[in-house]
């Protein structure tokens, strides 16, 4: 099992934390979850997918009608991602 707290914590706890995060923190969380999903096997990816969906929903709540465009823009501006 992963030692990444984003993956190990209950989904409800992540939902509560996402609500109070800054936009940059939410975007970083999404980036970390994407990386974890890509590195994980099929079984582990099933644990990560609900967290990605939850984070996507938070981004869409903050940026109505923009889908994930703000996240993609943020990701392009990050030199190390």
């Amino acid at each position: 099992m992963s030692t990444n707290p984003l993956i190990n914590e209950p989904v409800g706890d992540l939902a509560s934390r996402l609500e109070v995060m800054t936009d940059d923190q939410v975007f970083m969380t999404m980036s970390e979850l994407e990386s974890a999903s890509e590195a994980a096997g099929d079984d582990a990816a099933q644990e990560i997918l609900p967290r990605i969906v939850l984070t996507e929903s938070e981004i869409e709540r903050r940026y109505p009608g923009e889908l994930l465009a703000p996240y993609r823009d943020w990701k392009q501006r990050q030199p190390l991602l």
Side-chain angles (χ1 to χ4, degrees):
M1 178 166 242
S2 173
T3 59
N4 186 336
L6 287 173
I7 297 166
N8 292 333
E9 74 178 319
V11 174
D13 291 353
L14 177 59
S16 296
R17 286 193 318 114
L18 284 170
E19 290 177 3
V20 297
M21 287 181 179
T22 66
D23 290 349
D24 281 337
Q25 289 171 322
V26 171
F27 295 154
M28 182 58 73
T29 298
M30 181 63 136
S31 180
E32 290 174 10
L33 288 169
E34 285 179 339
S35 295
S37 177
E38 291 168 2
D42 289 340
D43 291 339
Q46 293 302 316
E47 293 290 321
I48 299 168
L49 185 59
R51 290 160 172 78
I52 290 174
V53 170
L54 184 65
T55 307
E56 286 176 349
S57 295
E58 179 62 22
I59 293 169
E60 291 171 1
R61 184 188 68 77
R62 292 177 186 212
Y63 298 94
E66 296 186 50
L67 301 175
L68 293 177
Y71 169 64
R72 288 189 299 271
D73 293 344
W74 173 86
K75 198 169 182 178
Q76 288 180 349
R77 292 189 307 266
Q78 304 308 306
L80 300 177
L81 294 179

